[in-house]
Amino acid sequence: MSFLGRGSSSQPSGGVNTAKIDLAITELDTVTDFFNRMVSSCHAKCISTRYAEPDLNKGENVCIDRCVAKFNEVQKKVGEKLQNRGAANAGG
C-alpha cells in the first residue's frame, strides 16, 4: 500500500487519497516550521553577528550542538504531553 493511497482497496485504481496528502502536507509544514525556529533561535544565541571567520569556531559549534539537542528534547517533551492530553481527553 502506498503512502498516498494508491493501490488501496478503499480507493479506486489510480485514485489518490487526499486526506493522506493533506496529512503529509501538514506534517511537512510542521517539521519545516520546527526546523526554521530551531535554526533562528540557535543562530541568534550561538553565532556572533560579526562574521570574522568563514567557519564556526569551537565555542560556536559546542553552543549549536547543545542548543539543537535542547530544542529537540523540548519538542519531544511537548509532543509527549500533547499526546497524553489528547489520550486523556479521548478517554473521557
mmCIF file of all heavy atoms in Angstrom, residues 3-42:
data_model
loop_
_atom_site.group_PDB
_atom_site.id
_atom_site.type_symbol
_atom_site.label_atom_id
_atom_site.label_comp_id
_atom_site.label_asym_id
_atom_site.label_seq_id
_atom_site.Cartn_x
_atom_site.Cartn_y
_atom_site.Cartn_z
ATOM 1 N N PHE A 3 1.889 5.215 0.479
ATOM 2 C CA PHE A 3 1.615 6.256 1.469
ATOM 3 C C PHE A 3 0.491 7.172 1.000
ATOM 4 O O PHE A 3 -0.298 7.654 1.780
ATOM 5 C CB PHE A 3 2.889 7.068 1.739
ATOM 6 C CG PHE A 3 2.665 8.211 2.689
ATOM 7 C CD1 PHE A 3 2.472 7.968 4.037
ATOM 8 C CD2 PHE A 3 2.625 9.512 2.240
ATOM 9 C CE1 PHE A 3 2.254 9.005 4.924
ATOM 10 C CE2 PHE A 3 2.409 10.560 3.120
ATOM 11 C CZ PHE A 3 2.220 10.293 4.468
ATOM 12 N N LEU A 4 0.403 7.424 -0.279
ATOM 13 C CA LEU A 4 -0.608 8.323 -0.809
ATOM 14 C C LEU A 4 -1.907 7.616 -1.137
ATOM 15 O O LEU A 4 -2.834 8.217 -1.639
ATOM 16 C CB LEU A 4 -0.079 9.049 -2.051
ATOM 17 C CG LEU A 4 1.136 9.935 -1.809
ATOM 18 C CD1 LEU A 4 1.632 10.526 -3.116
ATOM 19 C CD2 LEU A 4 0.828 11.031 -0.815
ATOM 20 N N GLY A 5 -1.996 6.330 -0.858
ATOM 21 C CA GLY A 5 -3.249 5.623 -1.020
ATOM 22 C C GLY A 5 -3.409 4.916 -2.341
ATOM 23 O O GLY A 5 -4.434 4.295 -2.582
ATOM 24 N N ARG A 6 -2.432 4.969 -3.198
ATOM 25 C CA ARG A 6 -2.544 4.266 -4.474
ATOM 26 C C ARG A 6 -2.517 2.774 -4.211
ATOM 27 O O ARG A 6 -1.720 2.281 -3.432
ATOM 28 C CB ARG A 6 -1.422 4.664 -5.416
ATOM 29 C CG ARG A 6 -1.567 6.084 -5.877
ATOM 30 C CD ARG A 6 -0.628 6.372 -7.027
ATOM 31 N NE ARG A 6 -0.924 7.693 -7.538
ATOM 32 C CZ ARG A 6 -0.035 8.643 -7.649
ATOM 33 N NH1 ARG A 6 1.210 8.419 -7.331
ATOM 34 N NH2 ARG A 6 -0.377 9.817 -8.121
ATOM 35 N N GLY A 7 -3.398 2.054 -4.870
ATOM 36 C CA GLY A 7 -3.446 0.609 -4.707
ATOM 37 C C GLY A 7 -4.247 0.171 -3.493
ATOM 38 O O GLY A 7 -4.391 -0.989 -3.232
ATOM 39 N N SER A 8 -4.795 1.104 -2.753
ATOM 40 C CA SER A 8 -5.602 0.785 -1.583
ATOM 41 C C SER A 8 -6.938 0.220 -2.038
ATOM 42 O O SER A 8 -7.512 0.646 -3.028
ATOM 43 C CB SER A 8 -5.824 2.046 -0.747
ATOM 44 O OG SER A 8 -6.777 1.806 0.247
ATOM 45 N N SER A 9 -7.466 -0.735 -1.279
ATOM 46 C CA SER A 9 -8.727 -1.351 -1.652
ATOM 47 C C SER A 9 -9.893 -0.383 -1.484
ATOM 48 O O SER A 9 -10.930 -0.549 -2.102
ATOM 49 C CB SER A 9 -8.957 -2.615 -0.815
ATOM 50 O OG SER A 9 -8.981 -2.272 0.561
ATOM 51 N N SER A 10 -9.745 0.647 -0.640
ATOM 52 C CA SER A 10 -10.829 1.599 -0.422
ATOM 53 C C SER A 10 -10.848 2.698 -1.481
ATOM 54 O O SER A 10 -11.800 3.448 -1.560
ATOM 55 C CB SER A 10 -10.724 2.218 0.969
ATOM 56 O OG SER A 10 -9.539 2.968 1.063
ATOM 57 N N GLN A 11 -9.816 2.803 -2.276
ATOM 58 C CA GLN A 11 -9.734 3.825 -3.303
ATOM 59 C C GLN A 11 -9.807 3.159 -4.674
ATOM 60 O O GLN A 11 -9.285 2.067 -4.865
ATOM 61 C CB GLN A 11 -8.413 4.597 -3.204
ATOM 62 C CG GLN A 11 -8.276 5.422 -1.950
ATOM 63 C CD GLN A 11 -9.239 6.588 -1.924
ATOM 64 O OE1 GLN A 11 -9.485 7.232 -2.933
ATOM 65 N NE2 GLN A 11 -9.821 6.836 -0.761
ATOM 66 N N PRO A 12 -10.423 3.827 -5.637
ATOM 67 C CA PRO A 12 -10.415 3.274 -6.987
ATOM 68 C C PRO A 12 -8.993 3.195 -7.515
ATOM 69 O O PRO A 12 -8.117 3.927 -7.086
ATOM 70 C CB PRO A 12 -11.245 4.264 -7.808
ATOM 71 C CG PRO A 12 -11.579 5.405 -6.923
ATOM 72 C CD PRO A 12 -11.125 5.072 -5.535
ATOM 73 N N SER A 13 -8.767 2.301 -8.448
ATOM 74 C CA SER A 13 -7.441 2.119 -9.016
ATOM 75 C C SER A 13 -6.936 3.440 -9.592
ATOM 76 O O SER A 13 -7.610 4.089 -10.378
ATOM 77 C CB SER A 13 -7.497 1.066 -10.120
ATOM 78 O OG SER A 13 -6.222 0.890 -10.672
ATOM 79 N N GLY A 14 -5.743 3.856 -9.161
ATOM 80 C CA GLY A 14 -5.151 5.088 -9.655
ATOM 81 C C GLY A 14 -5.609 6.311 -8.891
ATOM 82 O O GLY A 14 -5.159 7.401 -9.167
ATOM 83 N N GLY A 15 -6.507 6.144 -7.907
ATOM 84 C CA GLY A 15 -7.003 7.280 -7.132
ATOM 85 C C GLY A 15 -5.984 7.719 -6.103
ATOM 86 O O GLY A 15 -5.081 6.977 -5.724
ATOM 87 N N VAL A 16 -6.137 8.936 -5.645
ATOM 88 C CA VAL A 16 -5.230 9.494 -4.644
ATOM 89 C C VAL A 16 -6.046 9.803 -3.401
ATOM 90 O O VAL A 16 -7.119 10.405 -3.482
ATOM 91 C CB VAL A 16 -4.548 10.772 -5.180
ATOM 92 C CG1 VAL A 16 -3.705 11.426 -4.112
ATOM 93 C CG2 VAL A 16 -3.695 10.450 -6.393
ATOM 94 N N ASN A 17 -5.533 9.398 -2.270
ATOM 95 C CA ASN A 17 -6.199 9.658 -1.008
ATOM 96 C C ASN A 17 -5.847 11.079 -0.571
ATOM 97 O O ASN A 17 -4.755 11.337 -0.063
ATOM 98 C CB ASN A 17 -5.763 8.632 0.031
ATOM 99 C CG ASN A 17 -6.532 8.741 1.319
ATOM 100 O OD1 ASN A 17 -7.011 9.808 1.675
ATOM 101 N ND2 ASN A 17 -6.637 7.624 2.013
ATOM 102 N N THR A 18 -6.772 12.011 -0.752
ATOM 103 C CA THR A 18 -6.488 13.411 -0.457
ATOM 104 C C THR A 18 -6.300 13.653 1.038
ATOM 105 O O THR A 18 -5.566 14.562 1.419
ATOM 106 C CB THR A 18 -7.597 14.336 -0.995
ATOM 107 O OG1 THR A 18 -8.856 13.927 -0.449
ATOM 108 C CG2 THR A 18 -7.662 14.283 -2.514
ATOM 109 N N ALA A 19 -6.939 12.851 1.869
ATOM 110 C CA ALA A 19 -6.762 13.004 3.315
ATOM 111 C C ALA A 19 -5.311 12.720 3.699
ATOM 112 O O ALA A 19 -4.731 13.424 4.525
ATOM 113 C CB ALA A 19 -7.706 12.090 4.078
ATOM 114 N N LYS A 20 -4.714 11.702 3.083
ATOM 115 C CA LYS A 20 -3.317 11.378 3.371
ATOM 116 C C LYS A 20 -2.382 12.451 2.826
ATOM 117 O O LYS A 20 -1.367 12.763 3.449
ATOM 118 C CB LYS A 20 -2.948 10.004 2.816
ATOM 119 C CG LYS A 20 -3.545 8.868 3.620
ATOM 120 C CD LYS A 20 -3.016 7.531 3.164
ATOM 121 C CE LYS A 20 -3.592 6.423 4.034
ATOM 122 N NZ LYS A 20 -3.037 5.122 3.664
ATOM 123 N N ILE A 21 -2.723 13.014 1.696
ATOM 124 C CA ILE A 21 -1.904 14.089 1.137
ATOM 125 C C ILE A 21 -1.974 15.306 2.056
ATOM 126 O O ILE A 21 -0.948 15.918 2.368
ATOM 127 C CB ILE A 21 -2.348 14.454 -0.296
ATOM 128 C CG1 ILE A 21 -1.997 13.317 -1.244
ATOM 129 C CG2 ILE A 21 -1.705 15.762 -0.759
ATOM 130 C CD1 ILE A 21 -2.509 13.507 -2.655
ATOM 131 N N ASP A 22 -3.164 15.656 2.519
ATOM 132 C CA ASP A 22 -3.317 16.782 3.437
ATOM 133 C C ASP A 22 -2.538 16.553 4.721
ATOM 134 O O ASP A 22 -1.899 17.464 5.245
ATOM 135 C CB ASP A 22 -4.792 17.033 3.753
ATOM 136 C CG ASP A 22 -5.570 17.573 2.571
ATOM 137 O OD1 ASP A 22 -4.925 18.078 1.620
ATOM 138 O OD2 ASP A 22 -6.813 17.488 2.586
ATOM 139 N N LEU A 23 -2.580 15.324 5.239
ATOM 140 C CA LEU A 23 -1.841 14.983 6.449
ATOM 141 C C LEU A 23 -0.332 15.108 6.214
ATOM 142 O O LEU A 23 0.389 15.645 7.057
ATOM 143 C CB LEU A 23 -2.192 13.574 6.909
ATOM 144 C CG LEU A 23 -1.585 13.101 8.210
ATOM 145 C CD1 LEU A 23 -2.056 13.976 9.365
ATOM 146 C CD2 LEU A 23 -1.957 11.658 8.474
ATOM 147 N N ALA A 24 0.135 14.650 5.064
ATOM 148 C CA ALA A 24 1.562 14.741 4.738
ATOM 149 C C ALA A 24 1.998 16.194 4.592
ATOM 150 O O ALA A 24 3.080 16.577 5.054
ATOM 151 C CB ALA A 24 1.856 13.965 3.454
ATOM 152 N N ILE A 25 1.155 17.020 3.988
ATOM 153 C CA ILE A 25 1.482 18.434 3.835
ATOM 154 C C ILE A 25 1.542 19.117 5.197
ATOM 155 O O ILE A 25 2.454 19.900 5.477
ATOM 156 C CB ILE A 25 0.461 19.134 2.903
ATOM 157 C CG1 ILE A 25 0.666 18.658 1.469
ATOM 158 C CG2 ILE A 25 0.583 20.654 2.982
ATOM 159 C CD1 ILE A 25 -0.421 19.087 0.507
ATOM 160 N N THR A 26 0.586 18.808 6.069
ATOM 161 C CA THR A 26 0.586 19.376 7.413
ATOM 162 C C THR A 26 1.830 18.966 8.181
ATOM 163 O O THR A 26 2.456 19.781 8.859
ATOM 164 C CB THR A 26 -0.682 18.932 8.181
ATOM 165 O OG1 THR A 26 -1.821 19.378 7.463
ATOM 166 C CG2 THR A 26 -0.702 19.494 9.587
ATOM 167 N N GLU A 27 2.204 17.692 8.060
ATOM 168 C CA GLU A 27 3.405 17.211 8.746
ATOM 169 C C GLU A 27 4.655 17.896 8.205
ATOM 170 O O GLU A 27 5.534 18.308 8.979
ATOM 171 C CB GLU A 27 3.528 15.702 8.604
ATOM 172 C CG GLU A 27 4.671 15.123 9.400
ATOM 173 C CD GLU A 27 4.717 13.607 9.384
ATOM 174 O OE1 GLU A 27 3.775 12.977 8.884
ATOM 175 O OE2 GLU A 27 5.723 13.071 9.869
ATOM 176 N N LEU A 28 4.738 18.059 6.915
ATOM 177 C CA LEU A 28 5.887 18.749 6.312
ATOM 178 C C LEU A 28 5.952 20.203 6.774
ATOM 179 O O LEU A 28 7.031 20.705 7.108
ATOM 180 C CB LEU A 28 5.812 18.676 4.789
ATOM 181 C CG LEU A 28 6.959 19.336 4.035
ATOM 182 C CD1 LEU A 28 8.290 18.679 4.371
ATOM 183 C CD2 LEU A 28 6.710 19.290 2.540
ATOM 184 N N ASP A 29 4.809 20.874 6.809
ATOM 185 C CA ASP A 29 4.775 22.256 7.294
ATOM 186 C C ASP A 29 5.232 22.337 8.748
ATOM 187 O O ASP A 29 5.961 23.260 9.125
ATOM 188 C CB ASP A 29 3.368 22.841 7.164
ATOM 189 C CG ASP A 29 2.968 23.119 5.725
ATOM 190 O OD1 ASP A 29 3.862 23.137 4.847
ATOM 191 O OD2 ASP A 29 1.759 23.307 5.475
ATOM 192 N N THR A 30 4.803 21.378 9.572
ATOM 193 C CA THR A 30 5.179 21.365 10.982
ATOM 194 C C THR A 30 6.680 21.159 11.143
ATOM 195 O O THR A 30 7.334 21.862 11.922
ATOM 196 C CB THR A 30 4.405 20.255 11.725
ATOM 197 O OG1 THR A 30 3.007 20.489 11.576
ATOM 198 C CG2 THR A 30 4.766 20.215 13.190
ATOM 199 N N VAL A 31 7.236 20.211 10.413
ATOM 200 C CA VAL A 31 8.674 19.929 10.501
ATOM 201 C C VAL A 31 9.478 21.122 9.985
ATOM 202 O O VAL A 31 10.491 21.505 10.585
ATOM 203 C CB VAL A 31 9.026 18.642 9.721
ATOM 204 C CG1 VAL A 31 10.522 18.458 9.582
ATOM 205 C CG2 VAL A 31 8.409 17.431 10.401
ATOM 206 N N THR A 32 9.028 21.731 8.910
ATOM 207 C CA THR A 32 9.716 22.896 8.356
ATOM 208 C C THR A 32 9.695 24.064 9.336
ATOM 209 O O THR A 32 10.713 24.731 9.543
ATOM 210 C CB THR A 32 9.079 23.314 7.017
ATOM 211 O OG1 THR A 32 9.151 22.215 6.108
ATOM 212 C CG2 THR A 32 9.778 24.516 6.410
ATOM 213 N N ASP A 33 8.537 24.291 9.969
ATOM 214 C CA ASP A 33 8.429 25.358 10.961
ATOM 215 C C ASP A 33 9.349 25.095 12.146
ATOM 216 O O ASP A 33 10.054 25.995 12.609
ATOM 217 C CB ASP A 33 6.979 25.493 11.431
ATOM 218 C CG ASP A 33 6.818 26.563 12.483
ATOM 219 O OD1 ASP A 33 7.148 27.730 12.190
ATOM 220 O OD2 ASP A 33 6.373 26.231 13.599
ATOM 221 N N PHE A 34 9.360 23.847 12.625
ATOM 222 C CA PHE A 34 10.239 23.472 13.735
ATOM 223 C C PHE A 34 11.698 23.737 13.373
ATOM 224 O O PHE A 34 12.439 24.355 14.139
ATOM 225 C CB PHE A 34 10.050 21.999 14.094
ATOM 226 C CG PHE A 34 11.121 21.453 14.995
ATOM 227 C CD1 PHE A 34 11.125 21.749 16.344
ATOM 228 C CD2 PHE A 34 12.125 20.643 14.492
ATOM 229 C CE1 PHE A 34 12.119 21.258 17.178
ATOM 230 C CE2 PHE A 34 13.112 20.149 15.316
ATOM 231 C CZ PHE A 34 13.111 20.453 16.657
ATOM 232 N N PHE A 35 12.114 23.300 12.204
ATOM 233 C CA PHE A 35 13.499 23.471 11.765
ATOM 234 C C PHE A 35 13.855 24.954 11.667
ATOM 235 O O PHE A 35 14.912 25.377 12.155
ATOM 236 C CB PHE A 35 13.724 22.772 10.422
ATOM 237 C CG PHE A 35 15.113 22.944 9.887
ATOM 238 C CD1 PHE A 35 16.155 22.183 10.387
ATOM 239 C CD2 PHE A 35 15.385 23.872 8.897
ATOM 240 C CE1 PHE A 35 17.450 22.339 9.907
ATOM 241 C CE2 PHE A 35 16.672 24.039 8.416
ATOM 242 C CZ PHE A 35 17.699 23.272 8.923
ATOM 243 N N ASN A 36 12.972 25.743 11.059
ATOM 244 C CA ASN A 36 13.253 27.174 10.901
ATOM 245 C C ASN A 36 13.343 27.884 12.245
ATOM 246 O O ASN A 36 14.202 28.752 12.444
ATOM 247 C CB ASN A 36 12.199 27.826 10.008
ATOM 248 C CG ASN A 36 12.338 27.434 8.562
ATOM 249 O OD1 ASN A 36 13.419 27.059 8.109
ATOM 250 N ND2 ASN A 36 11.248 27.484 7.824
ATOM 251 N N ARG A 37 12.455 27.539 13.197
ATOM 252 C CA ARG A 37 12.514 28.148 14.523
ATOM 253 C C ARG A 37 13.790 27.746 15.248
ATOM 254 O O ARG A 37 14.424 28.563 15.913
ATOM 255 C CB ARG A 37 11.289 27.760 15.352
ATOM 256 C CG ARG A 37 10.035 28.496 14.927
ATOM 257 C CD ARG A 37 8.833 28.216 15.821
ATOM 258 N NE ARG A 37 8.422 26.820 15.740
ATOM 259 C CZ ARG A 37 8.472 25.968 16.766
ATOM 260 N NH1 ARG A 37 8.900 26.356 17.947
ATOM 261 N NH2 ARG A 37 8.086 24.721 16.606
ATOM 262 N N MET A 38 14.196 26.475 15.114
ATOM 263 C CA MET A 38 15.415 25.998 15.752
ATOM 264 C C MET A 38 16.639 26.714 15.183
ATOM 265 O O MET A 38 17.497 27.191 15.938
ATOM 266 C CB MET A 38 15.564 24.485 15.574
ATOM 267 C CG MET A 38 16.807 23.911 16.214
ATOM 268 S SD MET A 38 16.981 22.146 15.952
ATOM 269 C CE MET A 38 17.144 22.050 14.184
ATOM 270 N N VAL A 39 16.726 26.804 13.886
ATOM 271 C CA VAL A 39 17.865 27.476 13.246
ATOM 272 C C VAL A 39 17.929 28.938 13.681
ATOM 273 O O VAL A 39 18.994 29.435 14.061
ATOM 274 C CB VAL A 39 17.781 27.360 11.708
ATOM 275 C CG1 VAL A 39 18.777 28.299 11.034
ATOM 276 C CG2 VAL A 39 18.032 25.928 11.265
ATOM 277 N N SER A 40 16.802 29.610 13.643
ATOM 278 C CA SER A 40 16.770 31.022 14.012
ATOM 279 C C SER A 40 17.185 31.223 15.467
ATOM 280 O O SER A 40 18.008 32.092 15.778
ATOM 281 C CB SER A 40 15.363 31.576 13.779
ATOM 282 O OG SER A 40 15.287 32.902 14.182
ATOM 283 N N SER A 41 16.632 30.417 16.356
ATOM 284 C CA SER A 41 16.927 30.547 17.782
ATOM 285 C C SER A 41 18.391 30.235 18.079
ATOM 286 O O SER A 41 19.070 31.003 18.763
ATOM 287 C CB SER A 41 16.019 29.619 18.578
ATOM 288 O OG SER A 41 16.332 29.663 19.940
ATOM 289 N N CYS A 42 18.880 29.114 17.573
ATOM 290 C CA CYS A 42 20.264 28.715 17.854
ATOM 291 C C CYS A 42 21.265 29.658 17.182
ATOM 292 O O CYS A 42 22.321 29.937 17.743
ATOM 293 C CB CYS A 42 20.494 27.264 17.440
ATOM 294 S SG CYS A 42 19.562 26.077 18.449
#
